[in-house]
Amino acid sequence: SFSLPRILVRSKLSHTCSHKCPPDPFFACLDAKAIQLSMSSHILGHVANAVMLVSTGLFWLPLLLPRSFPYISSQSYAKEGFCVMDPPEAPLLNSHLLCFYFDTLAAAAFTLLPSSMMRYSGVSKLRTNAVGIFGHGVGHLFLYLNSPLSSASSFLDQPLHMQVAILLFSISFFYMFFLSIPPLPKAHVAPLAILAGVPLNTLIPPQLSFSYVQTVLLCTSCFYESVQRDKPTHYTSYSVIVHLPVSFVGWLEGTRCDEWVRSVGGHLIYDAAIPISLVLFACWRVWVGKLEVEEEEGKKTEAGVSQVGEKAKGE
């Protein structure tokens, strides 16, 4: 039978992050009977998160410094901050509205997930992300109805009391979101909220403000999940199935918008990638959970048969 992951586990590269850190069976051993779970290293989760963070950083360089890093080829994306499909004959198919439709349906579906699925490690992330996904969709609805309200110039032109009010609102916004990220230490919440909130109004171009907020929240969650000491069993699978694809889809949107992405929904492909990745992750965790139950029941059956055999020999 083919058992490549067993070779990886036995190799010197195989390790665990701590004694309290259980294995994440993201990879499986194929044999004639079933799939055996054997991956005991978090190294792939670390690699996936590192790739996501580096990729995001490289993606933002040409947006903030287009003359120094001119490798975002889609000019419309660099100008608008999104790849927007806006057919005049079908205004309700605008990319922002499509994102609102999709995110609303996804959030409702995640909220209504049966409680029986929550017993599988990591599946509860779908429910906890439902509010954020819906809020993201509402943000797109707002962008469809209104142009960005703040920019570096308009912010600096405001009276001092308005500048203070805008900054306090931005910092409070990030503060509330950072509180919902479990791995983030409480002592880091306020400093990070200040570091994220101030540039939003003073440095980030208005057309990139929405993408900036999403990027900050995603990268903060990704980083603190990577550095936490006691990782959950689903750490590697969540990093590979959810975090990694999002960064690749972002590159597709930014570099291929004018070629073909706009014609298939524009920014919708990015918004849809997050809920779809979460669904794939949940399916994986349910499947893995059932395999673990079957494996445990098999061990109990073998132990029972062994005890019966020993008793028979004794008699």
Side-chain angles (χ1 to χ4, degrees):
S1 62
F2 179 72
S3 184
L4 177 59
R6 284 201 185 103
I7 298 174
L8 293 175
V9 170
R10 291 172 183 170
S11 70
K12 293 182 180 180
L13 293 176
S14 179
H15 66 280
T16 54
C17 60
S18 72
H19 295 296
K20 295 181 180 180
C21 185
D24 180 358
F26 181 77
F27 283 90
C29 298
L30 299 178
D31 56 31
K33 294 182 179 180
I35 293 181
Q36 305 295 326
L37 306 173
S38 66
M39 189 63 181
S40 62
S41 172
H42 287 311
I43 188 170
L44 288 176
H46 296 327
V47 171
N49 284 334
V51 169
M52 186 269 182
L53 292 170
V54 172
S55 173
T56 301
L58 292 175
F59 183 81
W60 269 87
L61 281 177
L63 296 178
L64 298 177
L65 303 170
R67 294 183 179 179
S68 301
F69 304 93
Y71 54 79
I72 291 294
S73 56
S74 295
Q75 297 301 317
S76 60
Y77 181 91
K79 181 180 179 180
E80 299 179 26
F82 297 95
C83 182
V84 179
M85 179 181 72
D86 189 18
E89 69 281 3
L92 294 181
L93 295 181
N94 178 280
S95 291
H96 290 303
L97 287 180
L98 292 176
C99 291
F100 172 68
Y101 306 150
F102 190 92
D103 289 342
T104 300
L105 292 174
F110 291 170
T111 303
L112 297 175
L113 281 175
S115 299
S116 58
M117 292 184 63
M118 297 302 109
R119 68 177 183 270
Y120 298 107
S121 174
V123 177
S124 61
K125 279 181 171 289
L126 274 69
R127 278 189 179 175
T128 57
N129 278 290
V131 175
I133 290 172
F134 177 68
H136 186 87
V138 172
H140 278 291
L141 177 62
F142 177 82
L143 288 175
Y144 174 75
L145 297 173
N146 304 273
S147 60
L149 297 180
S150 63
S151 65
S153 58
S154 63
F155 172 79
L156 296 176
D157 291 339
Q158 297 291 331
L160 179 60
H161 68 279
M162 284 300 299
Q163 292 183 6
V164 173
I166 293 172
L167 285 176
L168 288 177
F169 175 81
S170 300
I171 293 170
S172 300
F173 170 83
F174 280 108
Y175 184 87
M176 296 304 297
F177 267 98
F178 287 154
L179 282 177
S180 65
I181 300 178
L184 207 162
K186 295 296 185 287
H188 295 189
V189 172
L192 285 176
I194 295 172
L195 288 174
V198 173
L200 175 61
N201 298 286
T202 58
L203 298 176
I204 303 300
Q207 70 273 19
L208 299 177
S209 58
F210 190 79
S211 298
Y212 170 79
V213 171
Q214 178 71 7
T215 300
V216 168
L217 297 178
L218 188 61
C219 289
T220 302
S221 175
C222 178
F223 174 78
Y224 278 94
E225 286 177 5
S226 300
V227 300
Q228 65 176 325
R229 179 170 299 179
D230 298 327
K231 294 178 173 56
T233 58
H234 55 265
Y235 167 74
T236 295
S237 52
Y238 190 82
S239 301
V240 174
I241 298 175
V242 179
H243 284 162
L244 200 55
V246 171
S247 61
F248 292 150
V249 175
W251 275 96
L252 274 180
E253 182 186 2
T255 58
R256 295 294 178 264
C257 175
D258 298 330
E259 296 180 12
W260 59 270
V261 172
R262 181 188 286 111
S263 63
V264 297
H267 186 71
L268 176 65
I269 69 166
Y270 181 88
D271 256 40
I274 300 174
I276 290 174
S277 297
L278 285 169
V279 169
L280 294 175
F281 165 75
C283 292
W284 171 261
R285 290 307 308 170
V286 170
W287 181 53
V288 166
K290 290 182 177 180
L291 286 179
E292 290 172 343
V293 170
E294 292 176 2
E295 184 179 9
E296 187 65 27
E297 290 177 350
K299 289 181 180 179
K300 290 180 180 179
T301 302
E302 291 177 2
V305 171
S306 178
Q307 290 177 1
V308 171
E310 291 178 359
K311 289 182 180 179
K313 289 180 180 180
E315 295 176 355

